[in-house]
């Protein structure tokens, strides 16, 4: 997963030199906010999918933790483009991170400097090619999702991912590919790194923000695409057993894209159904710039990546 260059605090450095001190605040306390963004190949070169929305969420996440970002929205947008072109990437997973750096220890980070870095590399099918085609096996985690009044799930902060990591490790040890977390009320929230949708009698449902989910940009895109395709989409609390009895279940995320779920807790849902397949297809066309209805979601990287 290596590329040549990483953008760090305003300039490009070699991949191996993008390092921090061991007493970096974020390393001890999780005080970072980050994004996961994808760029896809289109006829006009690589284009970043919903870059503005991702940067806005990064800015919101930073604000949640009173972290002033030393770069403007436009600076960050240009930096994302720069990282893609400098590495000659045709498609990429892009990882911007803003973190409380080296300088103070203790739990009040406001005096610590804020470092910002943006890396990009090629990251294939997050849940496996087979998962994308035939669906993944998921399991409800015994770990509950962090609550709105413990760590707000709506901000994408480093520390909160300990919750996802516990869930992911538990389910993988048990032989499943992905964890689905319930909140403290027992309602469905997210996968360890994805939002979740169920399809029942042609209607899509996905948990609401108040359930303690990350407000996913892929989730938002799929809701909009599905409504345009004529499906009813509800944001409502989902009980665990609704997953077992659903006609179709799929998860969405920048890394995971649109990935079918073939079973939950060994209750078979089966091969990807027609709604999942349709949305997967439209999403694929959209991100590759082949669906003019959603062209405004693509931010073309101006400098064409060199061949190779
Ligand atoms: N929920 C969680 C908990 C989550 O981490 C993600 C993204 C989503 C939902 C979907 O959000 P969005 O990407 O905006 O559609 N997870 C990121 C990190 C994955 C990782 O392993 O790192 C991602 O997909 O980039």
């Amino acid at each position: 997963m290596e590329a040549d260059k990483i953008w760090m605090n305003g300039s490009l450095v070699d991949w191996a030199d993008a390092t921090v001190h061991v007493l970096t605040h974020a390393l001890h306390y999780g005080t970072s906010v980050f994004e996961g963004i994808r760029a896809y190949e289109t006829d006009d070169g690589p284009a970043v999918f919903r870059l503005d929305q991702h940067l806005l969420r990064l800015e919101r996440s930073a604000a949640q933790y009173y972290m002033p970002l030393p770069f403007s929205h436009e600076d960050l947008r240009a930096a994302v483009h720069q990282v893609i072109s400098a590495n000659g990437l045709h498609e990429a997973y892009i990882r911007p991170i803003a973190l409380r750096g080296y300088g103070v220890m203790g739990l009040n980070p406001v005096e610590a400097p804020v470092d910002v870095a943006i890396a990009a590399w090629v990251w294939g099918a997050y849940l496996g090619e087979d998962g994308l085609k035939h669906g993944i096996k998921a399991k409800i985690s015994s770990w509950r999702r962090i609550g709105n009044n413990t760590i707000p799930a709506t901000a994408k902060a480093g520390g909160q991912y300990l919750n996802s990591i516990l869930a992911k490790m538990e389910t993988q040890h048990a032989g499943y590919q992905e964890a689905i977390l319930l909140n403290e009320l027992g309602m469905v929230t997210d996968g360890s790194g994805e939002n979740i949708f169920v399809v029942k009698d042609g209607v899509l449902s996905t948990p609401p923000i108040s359930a303690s989910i990350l407000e996913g940009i892929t989730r938002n895109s799929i809701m909009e695409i599905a409504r345009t395709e004529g499906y009813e989409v509800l944001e409502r609390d989902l009980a665990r057993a609704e997953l077992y009895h659903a006609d179709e279940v799929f998860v969405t995320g920048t890394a995971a894209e649109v990935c079918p779920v073939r079973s939950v807790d060994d209750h078979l849902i089966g091969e990807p159904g027609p709604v999942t397949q349709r949305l997967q297809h439209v999403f694929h066309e959209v991100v590759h710039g082949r669906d003019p209805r959603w062209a405004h979601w693509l931010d073309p990287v101006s400098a064409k990546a060199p061949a190779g």
Side-chain angles (χ1 to χ4, degrees):
M1 59 155 263
E2 265 185 40
D4 286 345
K5 300 281 182 192
I6 290 178
W7 182 95
M8 211 168 169
N9 294 324
S11 48
L12 290 172
V13 299
D14 284 344
W15 183 276
D17 296 336
T19 55
V20 295
H21 193 274
V22 75
L23 292 185
T24 292
H25 197 276
L27 211 48
H28 295 254
Y29 309 116
T31 42
S32 63
V33 294
F34 70 95
E35 272 304 316
I37 311 173
R38 275 192 193 267
Y40 292 88
E41 189 159 16
T42 73
D43 286 344
D44 302 320
V48 188
F49 185 62
R50 305 199 75 180
L51 179 53
D52 270 335
Q53 282 72 23
H54 281 283
L55 293 178
L56 284 169
R57 189 171 65 186
L58 183 72
E59 287 154 3
R60 278 204 313 272
S61 300
Q64 173 74 56
Y65 289 94
Y66 308 100
M67 188 191 288
L69 290 179
F71 297 95
S72 70
H73 192 91
E74 254 326 294
D75 292 341
L76 294 173
R77 180 171 168 267
V80 167
H81 285 211
Q82 201 187 351
V83 170
I84 295 168
S85 338
N87 287 299
L89 295 165
H90 297 280
E91 53 169 34
Y93 181 84
I94 303 142
R95 170 55 57 85
I97 183 167
L99 56 105
R100 286 292 184 175
Y102 169 74
V104 297
M105 292 303 267
L107 293 179
N108 188 349
V110 294
E111 296 300 324
V114 176
D115 292 316
V116 184
I118 305 175
W121 65 89
V122 177
W123 200 354
Y126 183 69
L127 295 168
E129 285 295 343
D130 189 67
L132 276 181
K133 276 203 195 77
H134 300 293
I136 53 160
K137 285 174 61 171
K139 181 185 180 309
I140 303 289
S141 168
S142 74
W143 296 99
R144 292 295 170 101
R145 177 94 166 122
I146 46 173
N148 289 321
N149 290 300
T150 51
I151 300 175
T154 39
K156 199 166 167 65
Q160 76 191 46
Y161 277 85
L162 286 174
N163 183 222
S164 288
I165 285 167
L166 283 173
K168 183 87 179 178
M169 289 194 299
E170 177 191 60
T171 44
Q172 291 210 332
H173 284 153
Y176 300 81
Q177 283 140 314
E178 192 48 291
I180 297 166
L181 290 87
L182 307 179
N183 61 23
E184 291 295 351
L185 298 173
M187 293 303 180
V188 174
T189 64
D190 274 354
S192 71
E194 309 87 16
N195 295 116
I196 189 159
F197 285 80
V198 304
V199 183
K200 184 77 180 169
D201 301 327
V203 176
L204 284 88
S205 301
T206 191
I209 308 302
S210 56
S212 199
I213 64 163
L214 178 73
E215 196 172 356
I217 290 160
T218 322
R219 170 185 179 273
N220 173 274
S221 309
I222 286 298
M223 285 169 49
E224 213 171 310
I225 290 171
R227 285 181 177 139
T228 305
E229 292 282 310
Y231 296 109
E232 189 180 351
V233 184
L234 305 174
E235 284 178 89
R236 65 175 183 87
D237 272 322
L238 287 172
R240 151 186 207 158
E242 290 187 72
L243 302 179
Y244 307 157
H245 303 305
D247 297 329
E248 302 177 37
V249 177
F250 62 89
V251 293
T252 63
T254 299
E257 304 174 293
V258 179
C259 184
V261 175
R262 64 178 292 116
S263 68
V264 179
D265 291 344
D266 299 315
H267 292 284
L268 189 67
I269 296 151
E271 288 284 319
V275 181
T276 307
Q277 282 186 32
R278 174 73 194 151
L279 294 173
Q280 235 183 350
H281 172 76
V282 177
F283 183 76
H284 189 263
E285 295 297 291
V286 169
V287 297
H288 287 96
R290 292 193 288 263
D291 192 330
R293 294 177 296 176
W294 313 105
H296 56 285
W297 280 350
L298 298 182
D299 192 351
V301 178
S302 24
K304 259 199 163 178

